[in-house]
């Protein structure tokens, strides 16, 4: 994945809540669950925020990667081009180096047994507890729906089913997703207390990678048009960076608080080159915003070149076959878990 001049971005993962920084050899028996909603193309923020670590983790642990197509309708009235987005998401996964021989890639809608777990899990959580979830409150505030659906309130319990169906124990998350993981831990603990030991308690893995902002200075988002998609062409990438916000000062310096837009471009270029952004700033010096954008464009295009090449080699037929195989493996796991749940509950 990385060319001769590129270094793998360093990212430290720590377990939340338990107050420990684990050694990787102590986590070899863990199962990782991660995934994305198919709402549009993955971008560099996704790559440096989580995707690069999935590639690393797939060599250390069994891993399930979920294409959460059912969850697209939690905060929107229509799912959009769900089939196309699912295929595009899968092609992005394969292009960045996720190996279907090591990882089970699957989609919500193909695993009915996983979704059946939602019913017994909902019986373990009160309406008040669902309403207090801070992430749900935030997602409701930013929802594009005319009215909040019941699915939005059950979203954290559905995520608990995603994690627990495969006995997931390590879940890479951002800080904003910790309340959802706490719901999964709560569901597992209450099920075990009520019906007997079936589920392990999942743990959060939190990244310390610098957060990339969008090219307009706001939050990087698929829907805001301020991100560089992994599938973007070289010309599209150059255009996006050329339009990125900077400031009027000619001397380029890395000052995150005082010059956030300039710092963001330096961070982006530094991540792609595997170099400290402050070092790049010193090299650019008084070259101004034009030189900064040229350096960032060259760095991003060089970084994405092998990803684009691998993506071009893949066909939709390859993607459909891989997804079908992953769905089959995930469903076998879900069937076993659902049978355990039914037996424990006395059905």
């Amino acid at each position: 994945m990385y060319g001769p001049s590129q270094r793998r971005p360093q990212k430290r993962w720590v377990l939340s809540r338990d107050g420990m920084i684990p050694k990787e050899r102590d986590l070899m028996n863990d199962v990782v669950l991660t995934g994305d909603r198919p709402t549009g193309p993955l971008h560099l923020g996704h790559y440096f925020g989580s995707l690069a670590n999935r590639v690393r983790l797939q060599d250390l642990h069994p891993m399930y990667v979920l294409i959460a197509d059912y969850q697209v309708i939690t905060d929107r009235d229509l799912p959009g081009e769900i089939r196309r987005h699912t295929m595009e998401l899968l092609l992005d996964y394969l292009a960045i180096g996720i190996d279907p021989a090591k990882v089970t890639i699957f989609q919500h809608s193909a695993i009915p047994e996983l979704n059946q777990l939602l019913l017994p899990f909902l019986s373990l959580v009160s309406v008040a507890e669902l309403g207090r979830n801070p992430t749900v409150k935030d997602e409701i505030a930013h929802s594009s729906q005319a009215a909040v659906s019941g699915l939005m309130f059950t979203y954290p319990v559905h995520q608990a089913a995603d994690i627990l169906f495969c006995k997931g124990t390590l879940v890479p998350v951002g800080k904003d997703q910790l309340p959802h993981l706490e719901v999964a831990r709560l569901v597992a603990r209450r099920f075990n207390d009520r019906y007997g030991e079936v589920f392990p308690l999942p743990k959060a893995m939190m990244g310390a990678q610098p957060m990339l902002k969008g090219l307009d200075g706001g939050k990087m988002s698929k829907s805001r048009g301020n991100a560089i998609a992994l599938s973007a062409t070289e010309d599209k990438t150059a255009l996006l960076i050329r339009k990125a916000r900077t400031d009027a000062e000619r001397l380029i310096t890395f000052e995150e608080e005082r010059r956030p837009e300039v710092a963001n471009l330096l961070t982006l270029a530094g991540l792609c080159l595997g170099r400290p952004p402050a070092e790049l700033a010193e090299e650019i010096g008084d070259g101004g915003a034009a030189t900064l954008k040229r350096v960032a464009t060259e760095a991003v295009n060089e970084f994405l070149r092998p990803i684009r090449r691998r993506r071009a080699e893949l066909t939709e037929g390859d993607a459909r076959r891989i997804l079908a195989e992953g769905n089959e493996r995930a469903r076998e796991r879900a069937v076993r878990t659902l049978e355990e749940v039914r037996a424990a509950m006395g059905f």
Side-chain angles (χ1 to χ4, degrees), residues 251-285:
L251 180 65
I252 299 301
T253 58
F254 182 66
E255 300 175 71
E256 293 180 278
E257 295 296 327
R258 191 174 73 86
R259 308 182 70 186
E261 292 91 354
V262 169
N264 196 51
L265 280 178
L266 288 166
T267 299
L268 175 61
L271 286 169
C272 289
L273 294 170
R275 297 179 59 189
E279 183 179 291
L280 290 177
E282 288 183 13
E283 288 185 8
I284 296 169

Side-chain angles (χ1 to χ4, degrees), residues 135-151:
T135 305
V136 169
K137 289 181 179 179
D138 182 67
E139 288 170 348
I140 287 174
H142 294 89
S143 172
S144 62
Q145 288 181 305
V148 177
S149 72
L151 189 58

Side-chain angles (χ1 to χ4, degrees), residues 52-120:
N53 275 286
R54 295 182 196 179
V55 176
R56 181 180 68 86
L57 288 167
Q58 72 181 351
D59 293 322
L60 301 173
H61 313 286
M63 182 185 295
Y64 289 80
V65 177
L66 166 66
I67 298 177
D69 51 0
Y70 270 168
Q71 290 181 0
V72 171
I73 56 175
T74 56
D75 60 352
R76 58 195 68 203
D77 295 317
L78 296 170
E81 299 180 74
I82 194 74
R83 290 179 182 171
R84 182 175 68 83
H85 287 159
T86 295
M87 284 297 106
E88 293 293 313
L89 186 59
L90 180 54
L91 290 170
D92 281 341
Y93 286 160
L94 300 174
I96 60 111
I98 290 179
D99 185 350
K102 301 174 182 176
V103 173
T104 299
I105 306 172
F106 68 102
Q107 61 189 130
H108 257 156
S109 58
I111 318 296
E113 291 79 10
L114 182 163
N115 297 296
Q116 279 183 265
L117 291 172
L118 181 61
L119 291 177

